[in-house]
Amino acid sequence: MYTVDLAYVGRGLHEELVAHIADQQGYYADEGVHVALRDGCSWDEERLRRGATIGLGRALLSRLTDGIPWVALQVNTHRPLFWFLARPGLASLADLAGRRLAVHAPRTAPGCFTRIVLRRAGLDPDRDLRTVVRPPGDYGMDLRRLHDGSIDAALVGSTMAPEAVAAEHGWQVLAWVGDHFRIPTVGVAVDPTCTDPDDPAVQAVVRAHRRALRVIHDEPDTTVRHMQTFLGRHTADEVRAHYETFVAPYFTTGGQADLAVGAGAITAVATELGVPATVTAAEFYRTAATAP
């Protein structure tokens, strides 16, 4: 049996759902590969590059800023599962001007994506609002701070269904990042200097993930059951609504990247980071060029 380390670098459905389904449905075993799912959230790039990673956004940033030649072999979605959740009185991204926003650091993938979205909304993230930088997590502290008013809004991820949380507390979902910035994100990536992209273990993982993507589209009840593992605070109806709104319509059917979307995303990310766009979409996303 083949073996491979596969590291996730964030928490929640966005990062973990496809690998979770592949594991729980027995697809890794079917492909003859033993996958050690590793928590790489706090790993540096040197440790992360020794195995495969799910975090394509982080891999792209690393390639642009550190020169590590990551390549993405499979893509789960083109719409990042992050949302702006806000206290009452804010109705749009423009209303964040002068407000306190909890957000990831600028040179992390979700932090970079957030800054791109804010700029597209006409806001300078360094001057027009007050940012409270915090590391990736389950966003529970952000909910406490929204409750006590110490922040006005938070960029939250898929450890919750933000629309259900907003309805419960009388808050607002100002925007879904996936509506404002598209990038082929989360899947399987390797550094070819450490791991051959054609390594049988890696290709077995890619095949297993493609099967998991088919489950997401063909077996809603199975997918919702798996999603409830991550969304334990929500009712079955809330989880299904989240699936129908953000997952089923936008996860890929076969793991391919849309290279036109990828090209635009690489340009936007490089511009935000202030570095040259030293890689093309075809070089980074080594999947067939199809629509998501």
Side-chain angles (χ1 to χ4, degrees), residues 45-251:
E45 298 307 311
E46 287 304 313
R47 184 176 183 186
L48 190 64
R49 69 193 295 193
R50 296 173 195 164
T53 182
I54 295 171
L56 305 191
R58 177 169 167 177
L60 175 61
L61 266 66
S62 175
R63 179 153 185 172
L64 291 172
T65 59
D66 304 321
I68 296 176
W70 292 99
V71 292
L73 306 176
Q74 174 253 321
V75 169
N76 295 343
T77 184
H78 293 67
R79 295 180 184 252
L81 294 181
F82 296 93
W83 297 262
F84 292 86
L85 186 63
R87 287 171 53 81
L90 284 74
S92 69
L93 289 176
D95 292 337
L96 288 174
R99 304 287 187 157
R100 296 158 297 183
L101 172 69
V103 69
H104 299 277
R107 295 181 85 82
T108 63
C112 178
F113 300 166
T114 300
R115 292 169 68 87
I116 291 169
V117 171
L118 291 171
R119 292 189 196 281
R120 291 179 177 179
L123 296 170
D124 184 329
D126 296 315
R127 297 183 180 182
D128 293 337
L129 63 162
R130 290 175 283 170
T131 56
V132 179
V133 176
R134 43 88 165 109
D138 68 0
Y139 304 99
M141 184 57 70
D142 290 337
L143 301 187
R144 291 181 63 178
R145 290 171 174 169
L146 285 167
H147 269 298
D148 66 25
S150 58
I151 60 173
D152 302 296
L155 188 282
V156 300
S158 55
T159 59
M160 68 185 82
E163 67 283 8
V165 172
E168 178 183 355
H169 296 288
W171 298 338
Q172 301 290 331
V173 178
L174 300 184
W176 173 32
V177 168
D179 273 339
H180 297 268
F181 178 62
R182 296 175 64 195
I183 181 171
T185 185
V186 293
V188 176
V190 298
D191 170 8
T193 60
C194 298
T195 303
D196 183 352
D198 295 319
D199 182 281
V202 173
Q203 288 301 313
V205 171
V206 169
R207 290 192 299 271
H209 284 201
R210 287 174 177 163
R211 290 184 66 185
L213 286 166
R214 289 307 323 169
V215 169
I216 288 173
H217 291 281
D218 297 343
E219 302 180 35
D221 291 344
T222 300
T223 305
V224 168
R225 174 170 56 82
H226 287 304
M227 288 175 62
Q228 287 176 306
T229 300
F230 298 91
L231 302 177
R233 63 175 291 150
H234 297 297
T235 67
D237 287 344
E238 289 170 341
V239 174
R240 184 170 293 273
H242 192 71
Y243 161 79
E244 292 174 348
T245 303
F246 298 107
V247 176
Y250 299 115
F251 273 55

Side-chain angles (χ1 to χ4, degrees), residues 13-31:
L13 296 173
H14 173 76
E15 188 87 6
E16 300 177 74
L17 179 61
V18 171
H20 176 82
I21 292 174
D23 179 45
Q24 295 299 307
Q25 295 290 114
Y27 298 155
Y28 293 143
D30 289 348
E31 294 293 342

